[in-house]
Amino acid sequence: MKTNNILSLITCALLLIGTSCKKETKTESTKTMSDNLLLQDYTGPYGGVPAFDKMTVDQIEPAVINGMEQGLKDIEAIANNTEVPTFENTIEAMERAANGLDNVFTYYGIFSSNMSSPEFREVQGKLAPLLSEYSSKINQNEALFKRIKLVYDASQSKPLPADQQRVVNLIYKRFEMNGAELDDTKKKRYAEISKELSSLYNKFSDNVLHDEENYITYLTKDQLDGLSEGFIKSAAKIATDNKQDGKYAITNTRSSMDPFLTYSTERQLRKKVWTNYYSRGDNGDEFDNNSLIAEILKLRRERVELLGYKNYAEWRLQDRMAKTPENAMGLMEAVWPAAIARVKEEVADMQTVADASGKNIEIAPWDYRFYAEKVRQKKYNLDSDEVKQYLQLDKLTQALFYTAGRLFNYKFTAIEKGKVPVFHEDVNVWEVTDKDSGKFIGLWYLDPFARPGKRSGAWATTYRSHTTFDGPKTVLASNNSNFVKPAPGEAVLVSWDDAETFFHEFGHALHFFSSNVKYPTLNGGVRDYTEFQSQLLERWLSTDEVINQFLVHNKTGQPIPASLVAKIKKASTFNQGFGTTEYLASALMDMRLHLADPTNIDIDKFEHETLAELNMPKELPMRHRTPHFGHVFSGEGYATAYYGYMWADVLTSDASEAFKQAPNGFYDKALADKLVKYLFAPRNSMDPAEAYRKFRGRDAKIEALMRDRGFPVTTKK
């Protein structure tokens, strides 16, 4: 396992960020001296699998401590090697170092993301500063960096083979950006700041999880008007599970909040549910995150100033596709005017519907989804709940497999329960093979349902990544969602947006499975590029091949009517003002917070004034309000990088147009082969901009994004 891979794992453990915190591959390890299960090699079928059925919280702390001790011994051995530094004795040695922590963080990640508990959170709080110290000891090891720099400098005059050169460049840059060249005094302060931040990130996440778990709205039978039968049955079961028999629970998660706000006719209850959700981390109590955010921003600024940067954004974006905050802001500001103009049109349409129904109201944020649905029905005769009847989770899963088969030549075969250990009864596992040769590629785990202790949202991760370094490794990949679990015997029905997210996260899994890299380092990603592949895969949901085969009614089994499909496609740009604006507001806020002077910053005031300056429509909130913006403040993975979804979506829209123009559309074999060859298989072994040019023959253009969203095409890139 590689050292900068160690640091990626630690980042995932500390930050617990949303979409796609990817653990990298496990290389061949020396036999551990510990009997702790979490430190041991995977055993069993399929090249070994995690022993999820035997892991316990009390194993975590000693395993992490033991793994760190061994990791530092490995690093010291490399740093103190008296031989002339070479790629083999320095860089390759780092790829093998500290393998004991690799498996530990698989289990750690499950407890933190899928099965958190008060007991685990206590352990997590203890370990956060220790992991930060461990990371600093590696990043600031002067002898180690001296060897890395000698290899790097030599490679500048005598380049290595392409994949080796990429590994050297990435590792050198990672160390440089994390203070390897600072003097001792600055190194000490850098490490102190990182340690303090790790604890603040942990506290931020715990506060949000507290508010998600403790702000549940219970309804009585006479408060259910407008809600679907399936939603009501599920809400009743959740209430019963919470010892509230005879009531109906609306949990403080998006998967529960969103459909309630869309269909409930109870306006005051909509306001209550909306307020609970958007006030997470902002309730003025001991779980309030505003002061934590202010401190995080100050410490981030101080830390990058030690390195000579003006602000955190300048430091962070130097190795991203955008390169500078100005470039990222330029893209967002090019789209923003069209987005808020579209919101104005959407609100006018909604207000007309509200007025016509005799409701003497002014559209408020808790009304947006409700009246948007009314407008959808009026404009397009399209009922989202009607569409939902054709979106069954099990059929959508088959649609994922079909798409993977057509594009990647993969076959998914369900594995009998009990053959592969899982951490919860809801998790199922599939074997992934090549359709022609039968070659085993890996396992796919699916954990689909929301439950207490599981963080919100959807994400993908790996328990083992592919490499051919020290022998080929097969992939263990996982997709995780938060669908509301249905009542027994009921189908799991999801919205079109949730179905797109399901495809999105599967795109990450296909990125893992298709990897052809040799070195573990190259399984990493560039943040404003890594969402591109998954965003692109969303487009296959609306292809005729998927619609005609897998969208069937959950009761009758009849295929979705062509007339309904036509309505869906006609309404494809509907509500893009809402979707684009709520996202962009969060992305702009992220960047502006990190460009601002953090001295004496008042987070609530800053948020309010920034939104006013942006002319943020009052009828909707940011997708992630600052006090619960976990992407940015539960860690650093998306800090000043939330713009990356839109940066990636420029690539997505442009690539999608390539498929639309191909002779055989989205299933064109020649273009699909280029997709896999240049955009999926290389992972981070190739510069993203170069990889895209090899696929498309040119750079991506923003006009495709504007056309996709139904916005006026007036910008030039």
Short mmCIF file of all heavy atoms in Angstrom, two decimals, residues 126-175:
data_model
loop_
_atom_site.label_atom_id
_atom_site.label_comp_id
_atom_site.label_asym_id
_atom_site.label_seq_id
_atom_site.Cartn_x
_atom_site.Cartn_y
_atom_site.Cartn_z
N LYS A 126 -11.37 9.77 19.77
CA LYS A 126 -10.03 9.54 20.30
C LYS A 126 -9.00 9.41 19.18
O LYS A 126 -7.86 9.88 19.30
CB LYS A 126 -10.01 8.26 21.14
CG LYS A 126 -10.79 8.32 22.44
CD LYS A 126 -10.70 6.96 23.15
CE LYS A 126 -11.53 6.92 24.42
NZ LYS A 126 -11.50 5.57 25.05
N LEU A 127 -9.41 8.73 18.11
CA LEU A 127 -8.45 8.42 17.06
C LEU A 127 -8.17 9.58 16.12
O LEU A 127 -7.09 9.65 15.52
CB LEU A 127 -8.95 7.22 16.25
CG LEU A 127 -8.93 5.86 16.96
CD1 LEU A 127 -9.54 4.79 16.07
CD2 LEU A 127 -7.50 5.48 17.34
N ALA A 128 -9.12 10.50 15.97
CA ALA A 128 -8.96 11.58 14.99
C ALA A 128 -7.64 12.33 15.15
O ALA A 128 -6.88 12.48 14.18
CB ALA A 128 -10.15 12.53 15.04
N PRO A 129 -7.30 12.83 16.35
CA PRO A 129 -6.03 13.55 16.48
C PRO A 129 -4.81 12.64 16.32
O PRO A 129 -3.76 13.08 15.83
CB PRO A 129 -6.10 14.15 17.89
CG PRO A 129 -7.11 13.33 18.63
CD PRO A 129 -8.09 12.89 17.61
N LEU A 130 -4.95 11.37 16.70
CA LEU A 130 -3.82 10.44 16.55
C LEU A 130 -3.53 10.17 15.08
O LEU A 130 -2.37 10.09 14.66
CB LEU A 130 -4.12 9.12 17.27
CG LEU A 130 -4.35 9.20 18.78
CD1 LEU A 130 -4.62 7.81 19.35
CD2 LEU A 130 -3.15 9.83 19.48
N LEU A 131 -4.60 10.02 14.29
CA LEU A 131 -4.43 9.81 12.85
C LEU A 131 -3.82 11.04 12.19
O LEU A 131 -3.01 10.93 11.26
CB LEU A 131 -5.77 9.46 12.22
CG LEU A 131 -6.30 8.06 12.54
CD1 LEU A 131 -7.78 7.95 12.18
CD2 LEU A 131 -5.49 7.01 11.79
N SER A 132 -4.22 12.21 12.66
CA SER A 132 -3.64 13.44 12.10
C SER A 132 -2.15 13.51 12.41
O SER A 132 -1.34 13.87 11.55
CB SER A 132 -4.37 14.65 12.68
OG SER A 132 -3.79 15.84 12.20
N GLU A 133 -1.78 13.17 13.63
CA GLU A 133 -0.36 13.17 14.01
C GLU A 133 0.42 12.18 13.15
O GLU A 133 1.53 12.46 12.71
CB GLU A 133 -0.22 12.80 15.49
CG GLU A 133 -0.63 13.91 16.44
CD GLU A 133 -0.44 13.50 17.90
OE1 GLU A 133 -0.38 12.27 18.16
OE2 GLU A 133 -0.35 14.38 18.76
N TYR A 134 -0.18 11.02 12.92
CA TYR A 134 0.47 9.99 12.11
C TYR A 134 0.71 10.51 10.69
O TYR A 134 1.81 10.36 10.13
CB TYR A 134 -0.42 8.75 12.09
CG TYR A 134 0.06 7.64 11.18
CD1 TYR A 134 1.21 6.92 11.47
CD2 TYR A 134 -0.65 7.30 10.03
CE1 TYR A 134 1.64 5.88 10.65
CE2 TYR A 134 -0.24 6.28 9.21
CZ TYR A 134 0.91 5.57 9.52
OH TYR A 134 1.33 4.56 8.71
N SER A 135 -0.31 11.14 10.12
CA SER A 135 -0.19 11.71 8.78
C SER A 135 0.93 12.75 8.74
O SER A 135 1.74 12.77 7.80
CB SER A 135 -1.53 12.33 8.37
OG SER A 135 -1.44 12.96 7.13
N SER A 136 0.99 13.60 9.75
CA SER A 136 2.02 14.64 9.79
C SER A 136 3.42 14.05 9.89
O SER A 136 4.37 14.56 9.28
CB SER A 136 1.76 15.60 10.96
OG SER A 136 0.58 16.33 10.76
N LYS A 137 3.56 12.97 10.64
CA LYS A 137 4.88 12.33 10.80
C LYS A 137 5.38 11.80 9.47
O LYS A 137 6.60 11.79 9.22
CB LYS A 137 4.80 11.22 11.84
CG LYS A 137 4.70 11.72 13.27
CD LYS A 137 4.53 10.57 14.26
CE LYS A 137 4.39 11.09 15.68
NZ LYS A 137 4.14 9.99 16.65
N ILE A 138 4.47 11.37 8.62
CA ILE A 138 4.88 10.90 7.30
C ILE A 138 5.16 12.08 6.38
O ILE A 138 6.22 12.17 5.75
CB ILE A 138 3.80 9.98 6.70
CG1 ILE A 138 3.62 8.72 7.55
CG2 ILE A 138 4.16 9.60 5.26
CD1 ILE A 138 2.46 7.84 7.14
N ASN A 139 4.22 13.00 6.31
CA ASN A 139 4.36 14.16 5.43
C ASN A 139 5.60 14.98 5.74
O ASN A 139 6.19 15.60 4.85
CB ASN A 139 3.14 15.08 5.56
CG ASN A 139 1.97 14.62 4.72
OD1 ASN A 139 2.15 14.07 3.65
ND2 ASN A 139 0.76 14.83 5.22
N GLN A 140 5.98 15.03 7.02
CA GLN A 140 7.07 15.91 7.44
C GLN A 140 8.37 15.17 7.73
O GLN A 140 9.28 15.72 8.33
CB GLN A 140 6.62 16.69 8.67
CG GLN A 140 5.41 17.58 8.38
CD GLN A 140 5.00 18.43 9.56
OE1 GLN A 140 5.61 18.39 10.62
NE2 GLN A 140 3.95 19.22 9.39
N ASN A 141 8.44 13.92 7.29
CA ASN A 141 9.67 13.16 7.46
C ASN A 141 10.71 13.69 6.48
O ASN A 141 10.64 13.46 5.27
CB ASN A 141 9.39 11.67 7.21
CG ASN A 141 10.59 10.80 7.55
OD1 ASN A 141 11.70 11.05 7.10
ND2 ASN A 141 10.34 9.77 8.35
N GLU A 142 11.66 14.42 7.00
CA GLU A 142 12.63 15.13 6.16
C GLU A 142 13.48 14.18 5.34
O GLU A 142 13.72 14.41 4.14
CB GLU A 142 13.53 16.00 7.05
CG GLU A 142 14.39 16.97 6.28
CD GLU A 142 15.10 17.96 7.19
OE1 GLU A 142 14.68 18.11 8.35
OE2 GLU A 142 16.07 18.59 6.72
N ALA A 143 13.92 13.09 5.95
CA ALA A 143 14.76 12.14 5.23
C ALA A 143 13.97 11.45 4.12
O ALA A 143 14.50 11.20 3.02
CB ALA A 143 15.32 11.10 6.20
N LEU A 144 12.72 11.14 4.40
CA LEU A 144 11.87 10.51 3.39
C LEU A 144 11.67 11.44 2.20
O LEU A 144 11.82 11.05 1.04
CB LEU A 144 10.52 10.13 4.00
CG LEU A 144 9.49 9.52 3.03
CD1 LEU A 144 9.96 8.17 2.53
CD2 LEU A 144 8.13 9.39 3.71
N PHE A 145 11.33 12.70 2.48
CA PHE A 145 11.08 13.63 1.39
C PHE A 145 12.36 13.89 0.59
O PHE A 145 12.30 14.09 -0.63
CB PHE A 145 10.51 14.95 1.92
CG PHE A 145 10.18 15.92 0.83
CD1 PHE A 145 9.16 15.66 -0.07
CD2 PHE A 145 10.91 17.10 0.68
CE1 PHE A 145 8.86 16.55 -1.10
CE2 PHE A 145 10.62 18.00 -0.33
CZ PHE A 145 9.59 17.72 -1.23
N LYS A 146 13.49 13.89 1.26
CA LYS A 146 14.75 14.10 0.54
C LYS A 146 14.94 13.01 -0.50
O LYS A 146 15.35 13.28 -1.64
CB LYS A 146 15.92 14.09 1.53
CG LYS A 146 17.27 14.38 0.89
CD LYS A 146 18.38 14.42 1.93
CE LYS A 146 19.74 14.70 1.28
NZ LYS A 146 20.83 14.74 2.29
N ARG A 147 14.62 11.78 -0.15
CA ARG A 147 14.74 10.66 -1.10
C ARG A 147 13.72 10.82 -2.24
O ARG A 147 14.04 10.61 -3.41
CB ARG A 147 14.56 9.32 -0.40
CG ARG A 147 15.68 8.98 0.58
CD ARG A 147 15.48 7.60 1.20
NE ARG A 147 15.58 6.53 0.22
CZ ARG A 147 16.73 5.97 -0.18
NH1 ARG A 147 17.89 6.41 0.34
NH2 ARG A 147 16.74 5.01 -1.06
N ILE A 148 12.48 11.18 -1.88
CA ILE A 148 11.45 11.39 -2.90
C ILE A 148 11.89 12.48 -3.88
O ILE A 148 11.76 12.33 -5.10
CB ILE A 148 10.11 11.78 -2.25
CG1 ILE A 148 9.57 10.62 -1.42
CG2 ILE A 148 9.09 12.21 -3.30
CD1 ILE A 148 8.40 11.00 -0.54
N LYS A 149 12.44 13.56 -3.34
CA LYS A 149 12.84 14.70 -4.18
C LYS A 149 13.99 14.32 -5.11
O LYS A 149 14.04 14.76 -6.27
CB LYS A 149 13.23 15.89 -3.31
CG LYS A 149 13.40 17.20 -4.10
CD LYS A 149 13.62 18.37 -3.15
CE LYS A 149 13.58 19.70 -3.92
NZ LYS A 149 14.50 19.74 -5.06
N LEU A 150 14.92 13.50 -4.61
CA LEU A 150 16.03 13.07 -5.46
C LEU A 150 15.52 12.23 -6.63
O LEU A 150 15.99 12.37 -7.76
CB LEU A 150 17.06 12.29 -4.63
CG LEU A 150 17.94 13.13 -3.70
CD1 LEU A 150 18.71 12.25 -2.73
CD2 LEU A 150 18.91 14.00 -4.53
N VAL A 151 14.55 11.35 -6.36
CA VAL A 151 13.96 10.55 -7.44
C VAL A 151 13.21 11.46 -8.41
O VAL A 151 13.32 11.32 -9.63
CB VAL A 151 13.02 9.46 -6.87
CG1 VAL A 151 12.33 8.71 -8.00
CG2 VAL A 151 13.78 8.49 -5.98
N TYR A 152 12.46 12.39 -7.85
CA TYR A 152 11.69 13.33 -8.68
C TYR A 152 12.63 14.17 -9.55
O TYR A 152 12.41 14.31 -10.77
CB TYR A 152 10.84 14.23 -7.79
CG TYR A 152 10.13 15.34 -8.53
CD1 TYR A 152 8.95 15.09 -9.23
CD2 TYR A 152 10.64 16.64 -8.54
CE1 TYR A 152 8.30 16.11 -9.93
CE2 TYR A 152 10.00 17.66 -9.22
CZ TYR A 152 8.84 17.39 -9.91
OH TYR A 152 8.19 18.38 -10.60
N ASP A 153 13.66 14.75 -8.96
CA ASP A 153 14.59 15.61 -9.71
C ASP A 153 15.27 14.82 -10.83
O ASP A 153 15.42 15.32 -11.95
CB ASP A 153 15.64 16.20 -8.78
CG ASP A 153 15.06 17.28 -7.85
OD1 ASP A 153 13.95 17.76 -8.13
OD2 ASP A 153 15.73 17.60 -6.85
N ALA A 154 15.66 13.59 -10.52
CA ALA A 154 16.31 12.76 -11.54
C ALA A 154 15.36 12.47 -12.70
O ALA A 154 15.76 12.45 -13.87
CB ALA A 154 16.80 11.46 -10.92
N SER A 155 14.09 12.32 -12.38
CA SER A 155 13.11 11.99 -13.42
C SER A 155 12.81 13.17 -14.33
O SER A 155 12.30 12.99 -15.44
CB SER A 155 11.81 11.50 -12.78
OG SER A 155 11.09 12.57 -12.20
N GLN A 156 13.13 14.39 -13.88
CA GLN A 156 12.88 15.56 -14.71
C GLN A 156 13.88 15.65 -15.87
O GLN A 156 13.56 16.20 -16.93
CB GLN A 156 12.93 16.83 -13.86
CG GLN A 156 11.92 16.87 -12.73
CD GLN A 156 10.50 16.59 -13.20
OE1 GLN A 156 9.91 17.38 -13.93
NE2 GLN A 156 9.95 15.46 -12.78
N SER A 157 15.07 15.12 -15.66
CA SER A 157 16.07 15.13 -16.73
C SER A 157 16.10 13.80 -17.49
O SER A 157 16.42 13.75 -18.68
CB SER A 157 17.47 15.40 -16.16
OG SER A 157 17.80 14.46 -15.16
N LYS A 158 15.70 12.73 -16.80
CA LYS A 158 15.64 11.41 -17.44
C LYS A 158 14.30 10.78 -17.08
O LYS A 158 14.18 10.04 -16.10
CB LYS A 158 16.80 10.53 -16.96
CG LYS A 158 16.90 9.21 -17.71
CD LYS A 158 18.11 8.41 -17.24
CE LYS A 158 18.20 7.09 -18.02
NZ LYS A 158 19.35 6.28 -17.53
N PRO A 159 13.27 11.08 -17.87
CA PRO A 159 11.92 10.63 -17.52
C PRO A 159 11.80 9.12 -17.39
O PRO A 159 12.45 8.36 -18.12
CB PRO A 159 11.07 11.15 -18.68
CG PRO A 159 11.85 12.31 -19.23
CD PRO A 159 13.29 11.92 -19.06
N LEU A 160 10.96 8.72 -16.48
CA LEU A 160 10.65 7.32 -16.25
C LEU A 160 9.54 6.88 -17.20
O LEU A 160 8.93 7.72 -17.87
CB LEU A 160 10.19 7.13 -14.81
CG LEU A 160 11.22 7.44 -13.72
CD1 LEU A 160 10.52 7.64 -12.37
CD2 LEU A 160 12.24 6.32 -13.63
N PRO A 161 9.24 5.57 -17.28
CA PRO A 161 8.05 5.15 -18.03
C PRO A 161 6.82 5.91 -17.54
O PRO A 161 6.75 6.32 -16.37
CB PRO A 161 7.95 3.66 -17.70
CG PRO A 161 9.36 3.25 -17.42
CD PRO A 161 9.99 4.44 -16.74
N ALA A 162 5.85 6.11 -18.42
CA ALA A 162 4.74 7.04 -18.15
C ALA A 162 4.04 6.80 -16.83
O ALA A 162 3.78 7.75 -16.08
CB ALA A 162 3.74 6.97 -19.31
N ASP A 163 3.71 5.53 -16.51
CA ASP A 163 2.97 5.29 -15.27
C ASP A 163 3.84 5.56 -14.05
O ASP A 163 3.38 6.11 -13.04
CB ASP A 163 2.36 3.89 -15.23
CG ASP A 163 3.39 2.77 -15.33
OD1 ASP A 163 4.55 3.04 -15.73
OD2 ASP A 163 3.02 1.62 -15.03
N GLN A 164 5.14 5.20 -14.13
CA GLN A 164 6.03 5.47 -13.01
C GLN A 164 6.24 6.98 -12.83
O GLN A 164 6.27 7.48 -11.70
CB GLN A 164 7.38 4.78 -13.24
CG GLN A 164 7.28 3.26 -13.22
CD GLN A 164 8.65 2.59 -13.35
OE1 GLN A 164 9.68 3.25 -13.42
NE2 GLN A 164 8.64 1.26 -13.39
N GLN A 165 6.36 7.70 -13.95
CA GLN A 165 6.54 9.15 -13.86
C GLN A 165 5.32 9.80 -13.21
O GLN A 165 5.46 10.72 -12.40
CB GLN A 165 6.76 9.73 -15.25
CG GLN A 165 7.14 11.20 -15.24
CD GLN A 165 8.49 11.45 -14.57
OE1 GLN A 165 9.49 10.85 -14.94
NE2 GLN A 165 8.50 12.31 -13.56
N ARG A 166 4.13 9.31 -13.57
CA ARG A 166 2.91 9.86 -12.98
C ARG A 166 2.88 9.62 -11.47
O ARG A 166 2.52 10.50 -10.69
CB ARG A 166 1.69 9.22 -13.64
CG ARG A 166 0.34 9.72 -13.15
CD ARG A 166 0.02 11.07 -13.70
NE ARG A 166 -1.36 11.47 -13.38
CZ ARG A 166 -1.85 12.68 -13.52
NH1 ARG A 166 -1.08 13.65 -13.98
NH2 ARG A 166 -3.10 12.96 -13.22
N VAL A 167 3.29 8.44 -11.03
CA VAL A 167 3.33 8.13 -9.60
C VAL A 167 4.30 9.06 -8.88
O VAL A 167 3.97 9.63 -7.83
CB VAL A 167 3.74 6.66 -9.35
CG1 VAL A 167 3.93 6.40 -7.85
CG2 VAL A 167 2.70 5.71 -9.90
N VAL A 168 5.49 9.23 -9.44
CA VAL A 168 6.49 10.11 -8.82
C VAL A 168 5.95 11.54 -8.73
O VAL A 168 6.06 12.19 -7.68
CB VAL A 168 7.80 10.08 -9.61
CG1 VAL A 168 8.76 11.16 -9.10
CG2 VAL A 168 8.46 8.72 -9.51
N ASN A 169 5.37 12.03 -9.81
CA ASN A 169 4.85 13.39 -9.82
C ASN A 169 3.77 13.58 -8.76
O ASN A 169 3.74 14.60 -8.05
CB ASN A 169 4.29 13.73 -11.20
CG ASN A 169 5.36 13.84 -12.27
OD1 ASN A 169 6.55 13.86 -11.97
ND2 ASN A 169 4.94 13.87 -13.52
N LEU A 170 2.86 12.62 -8.66
CA LEU A 170 1.75 12.74 -7.72
C LEU A 170 2.23 12.70 -6.27
O LEU A 170 1.78 13.49 -5.43
CB LEU A 170 0.73 11.61 -7.95
CG LEU A 170 -0.09 11.71 -9.25
CD1 LEU A 170 -0.88 10.43 -9.47
CD2 LEU A 170 -1.02 12.92 -9.22
N ILE A 171 3.16 11.79 -5.98
CA ILE A 171 3.65 11.68 -4.61
C ILE A 171 4.47 12.91 -4.23
O ILE A 171 4.31 13.46 -3.13
CB ILE A 171 4.48 10.39 -4.43
CG1 ILE A 171 3.55 9.17 -4.49
CG2 ILE A 171 5.25 10.41 -3.11
CD1 ILE A 171 4.27 7.84 -4.37
N TYR A 172 5.31 13.36 -5.13
CA TYR A 172 6.11 14.56 -4.84
C TYR A 172 5.20 15.75 -4.58
O TYR A 172 5.39 16.50 -3.60
CB TYR A 172 7.05 14.85 -6.01
CG TYR A 172 7.81 16.15 -5.83
CD1 TYR A 172 8.92 16.22 -5.00
CD2 TYR A 172 7.40 17.32 -6.48
CE1 TYR A 172 9.61 17.41 -4.82
CE2 TYR A 172 8.08 18.51 -6.30
CZ TYR A 172 9.18 18.55 -5.47
OH TYR A 172 9.85 19.74 -5.28
N LYS A 173 4.20 15.94 -5.41
CA LYS A 173 3.30 17.08 -5.25
C LYS A 173 2.53 16.98 -3.94
O LYS A 173 2.32 17.99 -3.25
CB LYS A 173 2.32 17.15 -6.43
CG LYS A 173 1.46 18.41 -6.45
CD LYS A 173 2.31 19.66 -6.64
CE LYS A 173 1.47 20.91 -6.77
NZ LYS A 173 2.28 22.13 -6.86
N ARG A 174 2.10 15.79 -3.59
CA ARG A 174 1.36 15.60 -2.35
C ARG A 174 2.20 16.02 -1.14
O ARG A 174 1.72 16.72 -0.25
CB ARG A 174 0.94 14.13 -2.20
CG ARG A 174 0.27 13.78 -0.88
CD ARG A 174 -1.13 14.34 -0.80
NE ARG A 174 -1.99 13.71 -1.78
CZ ARG A 174 -2.68 12.60 -1.58
NH1 ARG A 174 -2.58 11.97 -0.43
NH2 ARG A 174 -3.46 12.11 -2.52
N PHE A 175 3.45 15.60 -1.11
CA PHE A 175 4.31 15.96 0.01
C PHE A 175 4.60 17.46 0.02
O PHE A 175 4.58 18.10 1.08
CB PHE A 175 5.62 15.16 -0.05
CG PHE A 175 5.53 13.82 0.62
CD1 PHE A 175 4.85 12.77 0.02
CD2 PHE A 175 6.09 13.60 1.86
CE1 PHE A 175 4.75 11.53 0.63
CE2 PHE A 175 6.00 12.37 2.50
CZ PHE A 175 5.31 11.33 1.88
#
